[in-house]
């Protein structure tokens, strides 16, 4: 997988952020401070909807 960090990554070495990797039908997410630990993955449309929602400045959608 090809991982990339957010442009909003902060800190001296940029390790206080999440990283994402685009897969054929999903987006994988991992903690940049612990890249060898478990990852999460979401269907691409769900991840895109979440990012769009956050960019709009709306609070996070309810879970469930």
């Amino acid at each position: 997988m090809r991982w990339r960090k957010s442009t909003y990554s902060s800190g001296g070495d940029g390790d206080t952020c999440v990283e994402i990797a685009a897969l054929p039908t999903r987006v994988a997410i991992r903690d940049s401070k612990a890249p060898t630990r478990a990852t999460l993955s979401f269907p691409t449309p769900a991840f895109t909807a979440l990012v769009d929602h956050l960019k709009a400045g709306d609070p996070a959608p309810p879970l469930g």
Side-chain angles (χ1 to χ4, degrees), residues 4-57:
R4 66 183 177 104
K5 284 186 188 167
S6 166
T7 56
Y8 293 98
S9 186
S10 63
D13 55 5
D15 69 349
T16 56
C17 201
V18 296
E19 295 175 316
I20 64 168
L23 304 172
T25 61
R26 299 181 76 76
V27 175
I29 303 170
R30 70 180 182 185
D31 182 347
S32 64
K33 295 181 300 298
T36 60
R37 296 190 76 185
T39 62
L40 299 173
S41 72
F42 300 93
T44 302
F47 181 78
T48 301
L50 174 64
V51 170
D52 290 344
H53 189 80
L54 295 172
K55 283 181 179 179

